[in-house]
């Protein structure tokens, strides 16, 4: 029973971090119908940025807003010079174009920063908190709660601000939204920037307990693709529900199967959901 | 559209290839020709599902791996490597059906994500399963002759690769002129209109995907018999899938000669990268491949052959 409770809380905390990564992906998908296959590499860049700041004395938590802003600007630049052009081409172009970006960024990281695993030296929050029978590392607690707060903030932004309304309008009906005077390029660029800022924040949080290396983002992105499909493409609440589910599947799968097989239940769940309910758990047809 | 010029071109390539296989003895050159043909086959295999059917696959290495592992398993268990051709094809087609059945009838990006997920699963499975050699892979025992599908010289391998390449090109010419080919083109042009006249999207694309997987598997068998050593990084890893997608994209998706052109560019590039930066593994190759995929996606989404065809059409249009 204690093990079960421990795994449950661990799974939910892991799921919250997945949620923050996935909401960035789902926002971009909803607004411009692009699955950014380089999303995980954006996360990897953010982790290196957080590491760089930590090396000059700005810890991951203090550095979080800086990294998020840097990734926001990076996202806007990538949209302006690259994604915009892909959108003008055939539908496959956005798929293999963002995949090319994945390959390019992984290679660039490997060539300039080596393949070594690197961690923040003397990271904060190394203690353990005991809640009854459950033991939690402070780092994973802060990661989970931080991710939840930021996911909620993004949800509020999309739900209650004028720009958020414009994004939802574009997701709903691109042509009608354009006719209502919404500047598609501006809103697309903002959405892409915000999507990148999400992994900017997530990358900073992850540096509390994870090492960074050129392919560090890939497993998170892969999980995020599954989360987004599970929750329904474009749905932020769906991403949160999907992420919690995937977090639980991964933690329980890792414990009861074998650590290296922890992704098996996640992928099986993906194929099953796609087969039985392709619009996702909370998605619309 | 007439197939004649394509058949002449293919005939010329086969003749040139045979001349090379029997006339040349430089191992380096023959190795290059073999690699070129093998990559052209893999690119064409990718092109069937990602080009003609329009669903981008990021996990194509696993079908290649099916053939390679089937070959290794047959040979290490004392069976004929020829048996690996149907066995690998069967395994590859089964994997294609598992990946494609839930996802190929759907709009959106479900398929591409599923290819990444299934590829990761298969690689993990091979890395952790004792009878698949775990991370160590297999070393194939040395033999010689057509029964063992192993040869001391490289010439026969080039002949085999040439046969496979010709078969795959002929199959693609047939696809372009077949009902399935027209259905796929109709689905790409307007899936709603195609569905409204009764074209079953999932069924058409599953057939294309299964053929695609079986072609890649055949290439895998040949690869294993050629190198006599396989392991997950050399047959199943994402890096191999990246190479295959690069070859398909560079030459031009959905074109008959695109994959061959892409393979040519890839082989030259890989050599140049190896000369300049000392081979793969340092990331420079990925930077260059990634940049090329990005540039083509943004500027010339139909690749080399697509661009040439476009220019020809425009000229013909201007003359008429």
């Amino acid at each position: 029973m204690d093990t079960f409770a421990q795994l449950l809380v661990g799974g939910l905390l892991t799921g919250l971090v997945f949620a923050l990564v996935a909401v960035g992906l789902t926002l971009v998908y909803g607004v411009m119908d692009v699955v950014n296959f380089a999303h995980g590499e954006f996360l990897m860049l953010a982790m290196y940025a957080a590491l760089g700041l930590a090396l000059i004395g700005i810890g991951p938590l203090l550095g979080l807003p800086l990294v998020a802003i840097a990734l926001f600007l990076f996202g806007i630049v990538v949209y302006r010079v690259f994604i915009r052009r892909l959108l003008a081409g055939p539908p496959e172009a956005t798929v293999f174009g963002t995949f090319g970006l994945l390959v390019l960024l992984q290679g660039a990281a490997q060539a300039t920063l080596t393949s070594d695993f690197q961690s923040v030296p003397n990271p904060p929050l190394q203690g353990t908190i005991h809640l009854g029978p459950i033991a939690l590392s402070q780092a994973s607690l802060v990661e989970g709660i931080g991710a939840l707060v930021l996911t909620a903030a993004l949800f509020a932004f999309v739900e209650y601000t004028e720009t958020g309304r414009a994004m939802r309008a574009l997701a709903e009906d691109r042509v009608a939204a354009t006719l209502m005077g919404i500047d598609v390029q501006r809103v697309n660029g903002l959405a892409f920037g915000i999507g990148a800022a999400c992994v900017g924040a997530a990358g900073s949080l992850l540096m509390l307990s994870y090492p960074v290396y050129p392919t560090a983002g890939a497993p998170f992105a892969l999980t995020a693709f599954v989360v987004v499909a599970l929750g329904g493409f474009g749905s932020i609440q769906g991403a949160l529900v999907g992420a919690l589910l995937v977090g639980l599947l991964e933690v329980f799968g890792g414990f009861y199967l074998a650590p290296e097989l922890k992704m098996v239940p996640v992928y099986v769940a993906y194929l099953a959901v796609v087969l039985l309910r392709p619009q996702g758990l909370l998605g619309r047809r | 559209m007439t197939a004649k010029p394509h058949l002449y071109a293919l005939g010329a390539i086969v003749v040139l290839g045979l001349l090379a296989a029997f006339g040349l003895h430089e191992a380096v050159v023959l190795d290059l020709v073999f690699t070129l043909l093998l990559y052209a086959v893999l690119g064409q295999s990718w092109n069937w599902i990602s080009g003609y059917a329009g669903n981008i696959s990021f996990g194509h290495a696993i079908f290649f791996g099916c053939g390679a592992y089937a070959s290794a398993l047959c040979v290490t268990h004392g069976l004929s490597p020829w048996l690996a051709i149907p066995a690998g094809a069967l395994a590859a087609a089964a994997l294609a059906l598992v990946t494609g059945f839930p996802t190929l009838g759907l709009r959106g990006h479900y398929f591409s994500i599923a290819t990444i997920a299934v590829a990761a699963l298969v690689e993990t499975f091979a890395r952790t399963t004792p009878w698949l050699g775990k991370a160590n892979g297999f070393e194939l025992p040395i033999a010689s002759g057509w029964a063992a599908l192993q040869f001391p010289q490289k010439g026969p391998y080039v002949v085999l690769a040439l046969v496979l390449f010709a078969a795959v090109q002929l199959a693609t010419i047939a696809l372009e002129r077949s009902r399935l080919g027209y259905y796929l083109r109709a689905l790409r042009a307007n899936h709603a209109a195609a569905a409204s006249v009764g074209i079953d999207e999932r069924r058409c694309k599953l057939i294309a995907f299964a053929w695609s997987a079986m072609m890649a598997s055949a290439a895998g068998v040949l690869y294993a018999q050629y190198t006599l050593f396989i392991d997950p990084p050399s047959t199943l890893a994402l890096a191999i899938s990246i190479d295959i997608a690069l070859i398909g994209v560079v030459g031009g998706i959905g074109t008959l000669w695109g994959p061959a052109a892409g393979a040519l560019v890839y082989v030259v590039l890989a050599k140049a990268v190896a000369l300049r930066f000392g081979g793969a593994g340092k990331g420079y190759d990925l930077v260059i491949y990634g940049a090329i995929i990005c540039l083509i996606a943004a500027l010339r989404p139909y690749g080399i052959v697509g661009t040439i065809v476009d220019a020809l059409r425009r000229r013909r249009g201007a003359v008429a």
Side-chain angles (χ1 to χ4, degrees):
Chain A
M1 196 57 218
D2 286 357
T3 316
F4 183 83
Q6 174 83 42
L7 291 175
L8 187 72
V9 174
L12 291 175
L13 287 177
T14 309
L16 288 171
V17 180
F18 290 159
L20 182 56
V21 178
V23 288
L25 195 66
T26 207
L27 179 72
V28 169
Y29 176 82
V31 171
M32 66 199 89
D33 201 10
V34 169
V35 172
N36 179 14
F37 283 94
H39 199 59
E41 280 51 47
F42 287 19
L43 179 67
M44 174 269 291
L45 290 182
M47 290 170 81
Y48 274 116
L51 174 71
L53 287 177
L55 291 177
I56 57 167
I58 304 173
L61 289 178
L62 203 60
L64 187 145
L66 295 176
V67 176
I69 290 169
L71 263 285
F72 174 72
L73 297 175
F74 177 71
I76 287 183
V77 170
V78 169
Y79 179 80
R80 287 269 148 189
V81 294
F82 186 51
I83 306 293
R84 208 161 46 120
R85 283 178 226 275
L86 298 182
L87 287 171
E92 300 94 321
T94 63
V95 182
F96 67 75
T98 55
F99 184 69
L101 195 57
L102 171 161
V103 177
L104 175 65
L105 292 175
Q106 266 188 20
Q110 207 181 329
T112 54
L113 300 161
T114 77
S115 302
D116 297 341
F117 284 45
Q118 298 179 60
S119 300
V120 169
N122 309 315
L125 305 167
Q126 287 310 292
T128 308
I129 299 173
H130 292 274
L131 294 170
I134 306 168
L136 293 170
S137 78
Q138 289 179 5
S140 67
L141 198 63
V142 170
E143 282 166 10
I145 291 171
L148 178 64
V149 169
L150 290 164
T151 306
L154 182 75
F155 180 71
F157 171 80
V158 172
E159 205 64 18
Y160 299 115
T161 66
E162 195 61 32
T163 311
R165 242 191 298 281
M167 286 175 184
R168 279 185 292 138
L170 273 179
E172 189 97 15
D173 187 332
R174 177 168 300 271
V175 177
T178 314
L179 290 175
M180 295 301 119
I182 291 175
D183 182 346
V184 178
Q185 295 304 336
R186 186 182 147 270
V187 177
N188 275 358
L190 275 177
F192 208 83
I194 293 171
C198 286
V199 288
S204 302
L205 288 172
L206 284 174
M207 283 315 281
L208 289 174
S209 58
Y210 286 81
V212 58
Y213 45 96
T215 54
F220 287 98
L222 196 47
T223 310
F225 298 145
V226 174
V227 164
V228 166
L230 274 180
F233 276 96
S235 158
I236 291 179
Q237 300 102 302
L240 184 57
V241 174
L244 293 177
L245 198 66
V246 167
L248 289 172
L249 279 173
E250 213 183 287
V251 168
F252 277 92
F255 183 78
Y256 287 109
L257 293 172
E260 65 267 27
L261 298 179
K262 65 177 183 180
M263 293 306 280
V264 172
V266 176
Y267 296 147
V268 172
Y270 171 73
L271 289 177
V273 167
V274 169
L275 186 62
L276 302 173
R277 194 178 158 78
Q279 68 273 41
L281 298 173
L282 296 185
R284 295 160 310 180
R285 270 241 184 241
Chain B
M1 100 182 101
T2 166
K4 258 197 185 143
H6 297 313
L7 292 175
Y8 288 144
L10 186 58
I13 290 175
V14 170
V15 170
L16 277 177
L18 287 176
L19 283 176
F22 291 109
L24 294 174
H25 298 287
E26 291 84 356
V28 184
V29 180
L30 288 176
D31 181 69
L32 215 59
V33 176
F34 176 83
T35 311
L36 187 61
L37 290 167
L38 200 73
Y39 283 150
V41 169
L42 287 172
Q44 189 64 277
S45 143
W46 185 85
N47 194 31
W48 272 53
I49 185 65
S50 304
Y52 289 106
N55 289 77
I56 305 284
S57 161
F58 291 137
H60 236 58
I62 59 170
F63 305 122
F64 176 67
C66 278
Y69 272 83
S71 193
L73 285 173
C74 280
V75 173
T76 49
H77 287 80
L79 298 166
S80 162
W82 291 92
L83 204 62
I85 297 173
L90 219 60
L95 268 180
L97 292 183
V98 169
T99 316
F101 185 79
T103 53
L104 277 175
L106 301 172
R107 308 275 93 220
H109 307 281
Y110 298 98
F111 174 78
S112 297
I113 294 169
T115 58
I116 299 182
V118 172
L121 271 186
V122 169
E123 198 190 342
T124 309
F125 185 68
R127 272 182 192 288
T128 50
T129 309
W131 61 271
L132 287 175
K134 290 195 159 180
N136 296 328
F138 288 99
E139 239 175 277
L140 277 65
I142 292 179
S144 185
W146 284 94
L149 211 54
Q150 278 187 32
F151 310 96
Q153 277 93 33
K154 293 189 191 292
Y157 286 113
V158 173
V159 175
L160 283 170
L162 206 55
V163 169
L164 184 58
F165 173 72
V168 165
Q169 287 302 94
L170 285 175
T172 311
I173 292 172
L175 172 75
E176 286 196 345
R177 300 159 66 78
S178 72
R179 188 175 286 250
L180 178 65
Y182 284 106
Y183 282 177
L184 291 176
R185 229 165 295 161
L187 283 166
R188 276 191 68 187
N190 187 335
H191 68 94
S196 74
V197 295
I199 298 177
D200 184 343
E201 178 166 12
R202 169 141 74 184
R203 192 168 168 276
C204 288
K205 290 186 167 177
L206 271 180
I207 296 171
F209 194 28
W211 279 110
S212 161
M214 290 192 282
M215 290 175 203
S217 162
V221 172
L222 199 51
Y223 174 83
Q225 295 299 125
Y226 183 73
T227 59
L228 300 182
F229 171 71
I230 61 158
D231 61 352
S234 65
T235 53
L236 295 170
L238 178 68
I240 311 288
S241 294
I242 292 174
D243 291 347
I244 299 175
L246 174 74
I247 289 164
V249 166
V250 168
I253 53 174
T255 62
L256 175 61
W257 293 102
L264 194 62
V265 171
Y266 175 79
V267 167
V268 172
L269 256 181
K271 280 273 168 234
V273 171
L275 279 178
R276 176 70 183 80
F277 298 110
K282 292 195 188 118
Y284 296 106
D285 51 339
L286 293 182
V287 173
I288 292 167
Y289 300 163
I292 290 173
I293 298 179
C294 286
L295 282 175
I296 288 179
L299 305 174
R300 288 267 175 265
Y302 291 107
I304 300 172
V305 173
T307 304
I308 295 172
V309 169
D310 228 37
L312 286 178
R313 265 202 205 121
R314 222 170 284 153
R315 247 177 79 189
R316 213 174 290 160
V319 172

